[in-house]
């Protein structure tokens, strides 16, 4: 479905930043885009167990996950802006690819996704789709409008900290001295 831009629409500032385990954070990739849709899905998981003498099951909370999907369009409104958008979006797609380390295999990339003042979350970019419609105008053999969808599996406010051996991996939580926050 093609995005429609209204004259009163104002682009929202998007930013993506890579966090590669055991390395410094990557550069912040910023660009303006027009939001089509945002979906913020919170999914708890429960299990049921039957007790003797009870007709109804006991419910046990097992886990929680959160997924954010955002659909947006980049629109080249000025000369040569279409080149910037295509390069920027290609840089964001790199957050979906593994990082290979000689002798150590490969790692995934954690991403911090920020959308205006609405969302600012760490997670795993599980998909980033680029869609160019047939009715999109082109300049210099490049599209002027690019439809995108990004899906982030949220891991929480704090990125996993492998380098400093944070509490979740090697500290108090593992030893049973505190509970995760």
């Amino acid at each position: 479905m093609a995005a429609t831009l209204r004259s009163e629409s104002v682009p929202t500032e998007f930013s993506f930043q890579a966090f590669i385990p055991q390395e410094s954070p990557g550069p912040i990739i910023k660009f303006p885009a027009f939001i089509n849709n945002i979906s913020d899905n919170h999914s708890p998981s429960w299990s049921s167990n039957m007790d003797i003498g009870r007709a109804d099951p006991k419910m046990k909370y097992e886990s929680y996950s959160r997924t954010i999907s955002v659909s947006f369009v980049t629109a080249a409104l000025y000369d040569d802006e279409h080149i910037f958008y295509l390069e920027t979006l290609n840089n964001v797609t790199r957050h979906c690819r593994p990082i290979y380390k000689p002798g150590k295999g490969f790692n995934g990339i954690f991403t911090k996704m920020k959308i205006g003042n609405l969302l600012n979350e760490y997670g795993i970019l599980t998909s980033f789709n680029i869609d160019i419609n047939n009715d999109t105008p082109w300049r210099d053999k490049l599209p002027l409008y690019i439809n995108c969808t990004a899906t982030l599996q949220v891991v929480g406010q704090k990125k996993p900290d492998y380098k400093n051996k944070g509490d979740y991996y090697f500290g108090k939580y593992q030893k049973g001295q505190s509970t995760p926050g």
Side-chain angles (χ1 to χ4, degrees), residues 7 17 28 50 67 70 77 93 100 104-105 108 111 126 130 150 161 164 166:
S7 60
Q17 185 176 20
I28 297 172
M50 296 302 295
T67 305
V70 59
L77 304 175
T93 64
Y100 291 94
K104 296 183 179 181
T111 300
T126 58
I130 295 174
D161 190 358
N164 296 321

Side-chain angles (χ1 to χ4, degrees), residues 98-113:
I99 297 293
Y100 291 94
K101 297 186 178 202
K104 296 183 179 181
F106 60 92
N107 280 358
I109 299 173
F110 290 92
T111 300
K112 182 178 182 182
M113 181 172 73

Side-chain angles (χ1 to χ4, degrees), residues 4-12 32-34 73-85 137 139 143-146:
T4 55
L5 299 178
R6 297 182 303 267
S7 60
E8 69 273 4
S9 294
V10 176
T12 301
F34 297 90
V73 62
T74 60
L77 304 175
Y78 305 102
D79 288 342
D80 298 330
E81 210 174 27
H82 59 297
I83 297 167
F84 163 77
Y85 281 127
R139 183 185 304 144
L144 296 180
Y145 302 105
I146 302 173

Side-chain angles (χ1 to χ4, degrees), residues 52-138:
I52 296 174
R54 289 184 60 113
D56 59 324
K58 282 186 157 181
M59 300 302 293
K60 179 183 173 190
Y61 190 84
E62 289 187 337
S63 65
Y64 170 81
S65 67
R66 180 180 179 198
T67 305
I68 299 170
S69 293
V70 59
S71 171
F72 60 93
V73 62
T74 60
L77 304 175
Y78 305 102
D79 288 342
D80 298 330
E81 210 174 27
H82 59 297
I83 297 167
F84 163 77
Y85 281 127
L86 198 56
E87 289 172 355
T88 301
L89 295 174
N90 282 329
N91 285 332
V92 175
T93 64
R94 289 186 177 100
H95 291 215
C96 296
R97 301 177 193 161
I99 297 293
Y100 291 94
K101 297 186 178 202
K104 296 183 179 181
F106 60 92
N107 280 358
I109 299 173
F110 290 92
T111 300
K112 182 178 182 182
M113 181 172 73
K114 185 174 182 191
I115 302 173
N117 292 326
L118 178 66
L119 293 169
N120 187 10
E121 296 291 343
Y122 286 102
I124 301 162
L125 200 57
T126 58
S127 70
F128 191 85
N129 301 314
I130 295 174
D131 180 33
I132 301 168
N133 293 323
N134 288 336
D135 58 350
T136 298
W138 291 62

Side-chain angles (χ1 to χ4, degrees), residues 148-167:
C148 300
T149 304
T151 304
L152 186 82
Q153 179 70 46
V154 178
V155 295
Q157 283 296 331
K158 295 182 180 179
K159 70 177 179 62
D161 190 358
Y162 300 108
K163 191 173 186 177
N164 296 321
K165 297 180 176 32
D167 285 350

